[in-house]
Amino acid sequence: MRLSMSSSRQLVGLTMLVATVFGCSKKAEVILPPIKVNVVKAVQNDVPLYEDFVAQVYGQSDVDIRARVEGWVTSMNFKEGSHVKKGDLLYIIDDAQYQTRVDREASDLTRSKTELVRAQNDLSRVKPLTELNALSKKDLDNATASFEAAQAQVKASEASLQNARIELGYTHVYSPFDGIIGTSNMRVGDYVSRAGASSVLTTISSIGSVRVRFQISEREYLRIAKLTKEELSAARKNVQLVMADGSIYSEKGEVNFADREIDSKTGTLTIEALFPNPTGLLRPGLFVKARVLLSTLPNAVMVPQRAVFQLQSLSQVFTISDSSTLKVTVVEAGQKIGDAWIITKGLKAGDKVAVVGTSSLTPNSKVEIVEQKWPDDSQK
């Protein structure tokens, strides 16, 4: 099929137009500007290595106040949750029956003393008559036995009276020491007994200083046991508390004791530390974290955690060359400290690493460096 002259000219023109368009597109390649990248310098410091353990606060003394006599509660003389002092009256238990017993025992003691006087008079009269042979030796023995029995009865009556007075004293319940008193388990009109759940009236805790207990695993125990004497001494005297809101308690504690055995049920060892509590912030039952300084790693190189990206078993960072070019560097990451990662191999202090959005970066890319300060003052 032959093309007309006009059709041939149109085809040639279209071909030249396509060639021109494609030729221009090759010459008009778009060069993207360098990507802005946040960059920090790896820092080198002596890093304290802490271990955190879930812990609970106990009072220096947590004492259940128990009833030592039975009866009806007739008075409650404190405000729950308030501070009490040693010797403060807390409860009064109906004392009528105990006062009656005291009176009865006092009467028995008087009768015993009267009997003692009579027996002593009889002995005083019989003894000289026996020496004159006016009375037999048997009469003297009987008089002596009656006197000694009367003496024993007086001592028994005195003991019974003393015991009755002690029980009468138990009807008034006093605070054994200064502390903070808890919720009362009994109210006026409740009946209390000497034993069982109804014997516990309330609990008082001494919180001038507090005990903090936590458990460490067998593995942690063995690791700590291998520390030097100097490291153990530092760990014992540098216990911190991390509160539920993440804040650090202002006072440092000291390890008080370690239990004698590993709990066979849980495989843990109980540790107790003492903390000053001058403001009363720490209350019994409070859950905290005990932070123990185990050792210090000298001259550790650190970078932010967000600068490290991991691919299977490899840890990598993007370092910045002098020509502002990205380079992938394989590193060995150690322990995490706060928002930092200790780098044991692959970086040195002062090396520049990229942070934030590293997943969108590619090696050998030209970047525009935006230096950031790290760590900031709060992290220091």
Side-chain angles (χ1 to χ4, degrees):
M1 180 178 180
R2 294 183 178 180
L3 296 175
S4 63
M5 184 64 68
S6 60
S7 297
S8 300
R9 290 177 180 176
Q10 291 178 355
L11 181 59
V12 172
L14 180 61
T15 303
M16 294 177 64
L17 177 62
V18 171
T20 303
V21 170
F22 278 97
C24 292
S25 63
K26 289 183 179 180
K27 295 180 181 179
E29 290 182 352
V30 178
I31 300 176
L32 297 176
I35 303 173
K36 290 186 177 181
V37 174
N38 295 326
V39 173
V40 300
K41 292 182 179 180
V43 298
Q44 188 173 37
N45 286 314
D46 293 342
V47 179
L49 300 179
Y50 293 94
E51 194 75 31
D52 287 354
F53 304 94
V54 177
Q56 190 171 17
V57 176
Y58 297 84
Q60 188 173 25
S61 297
D62 297 312
V63 176
D64 289 338
I65 305 301
R66 295 179 176 269
R68 302 178 72 175
V69 293
E70 296 182 352
W72 306 97
V73 176
T74 59
S75 177
M76 190 178 83
N77 302 281
F78 64 91
K79 183 179 179 181
E80 294 168 303
S82 65
H83 289 270
V84 294
K85 294 185 177 181
K86 181 178 180 179
D88 284 353
L89 178 63
L90 304 178
Y91 297 93
I92 297 177
I93 300 172
D94 185 19
D95 62 355
Q97 59 177 323
Y98 300 100
Q99 184 62 57
T100 300
R101 183 183 173 190
V102 168
D103 295 341
R104 184 174 64 249
E105 297 295 342
S107 177
D108 289 346
L109 177 60
T110 300
R111 184 166 55 253
S112 298
K113 288 182 176 179
T114 301
E115 182 62 23
L116 176 62
V117 171
R118 185 195 64 75
Q120 186 175 17
N121 291 337
D122 287 347
L123 179 61
S124 298
R125 184 174 62 256
V126 170
K127 190 173 183 179
L129 292 176
T130 303
E131 292 174 355
L132 295 174
N133 294 323
L135 293 174
S136 66
K137 182 71 166 53
K138 181 179 180 181
D139 293 331
L140 178 60
D141 291 342
N142 290 338
T144 301
S146 296
F147 174 70
E148 290 177 350
Q151 282 184 317
Q153 184 60 45
V154 168
K155 290 182 179 179
S157 297
E158 288 176 342
S160 295
L161 177 59
Q162 180 65 20
N163 186 62
R165 286 173 174 167
I166 289 174
E167 288 197 333
L168 177 61
Y170 288 158
T171 61
H172 287 62
V173 182
Y174 299 93
S175 173
F177 52 79
D178 294 354
I180 187 168
I181 195 165
T183 302
S184 177
N185 297 325
M186 298 294 169
R187 294 286 191 252
V188 174
D190 287 339
Y191 187 84
V192 297
S193 60
R194 302 170 188 251
S198 64
S199 67
V200 180
L201 303 174
T202 187
T203 302
I204 298 179
S205 296
S206 174
I207 59 172
S209 60
V210 296
R211 298 172 294 140
V212 174
R213 288 188 176 181
F214 55 95
Q215 284 75 40
I216 63 175
S217 67
E218 294 177 353
R219 187 185 298 273
E220 290 163 339
Y221 163 71
L222 293 174
R223 182 161 59 88
I224 293 173
K226 294 176 183 177
L227 298 178
T228 65
K229 289 184 177 180
E230 293 75 14
E231 289 174 331
L232 282 174
S233 178
R236 185 176 293 111
K237 297 179 180 179
N238 289 279
V239 184
Q240 296 179 337
L241 287 187
V242 182
M243 309 300 286
D245 61 357
S247 62
I248 304 297
Y249 182 58
S250 58
E251 302 286 344
K252 287 187 177 182
E254 183 173 350
V255 172
N256 183 33
F257 83 93
D259 201 358
R260 66 178 182 84
E261 64 176 354
I262 303 292
D263 190 326
S264 59
K265 296 179 180 179
T266 62
T268 59
L269 178 70
T270 298
I271 307 293
E272 181 180 279
L274 289 178
F275 282 82
N277 190 28
T279 63
L281 175 64
L282 301 179
R283 293 290 187 100
L286 184 68
F287 282 97
V288 294
K289 286 183 180 179
R291 178 167 289 174
V292 183
L293 174 63
L294 295 182
S295 61
T296 299
L297 184 63
N299 300 320
V301 176
M302 295 182 295
V303 296
Q305 290 182 24
R306 59 188 184 275
V308 180
F309 58 100
Q310 294 178 308
L311 182 63
Q312 296 181 349
S313 61
L314 292 178
S315 296
Q316 300 175 329
V317 296
F318 274 119
T319 55
I320 312 298
S321 67
D322 294 337
S323 60
S324 298
T325 304
L326 288 178
K327 176 185 176 183
V328 175
T329 302
V330 178
V331 297
E332 290 184 5
Q335 187 171 342
K336 292 180 180 180
I337 305 294
D339 75 331
W341 213 321
I342 295 176
I343 304 300
T344 58
K345 187 177 180 181
L347 288 179
K348 62 181 183 297
D351 285 349
K352 297 178 181 180
V353 295
V355 296
V356 183
T358 53
S359 60
S360 63
L361 301 179
T362 56
N364 301 318
S365 299
K366 289 287 185 176
V367 295
E368 180 181 343
I369 296 175
V370 180
E371 292 195 8
Q372 290 190 331
K373 183 180 179 182
W374 183 86
D376 58 29
D377 295 336
S378 62
Q379 291 170 324
K380 290 179 183 179

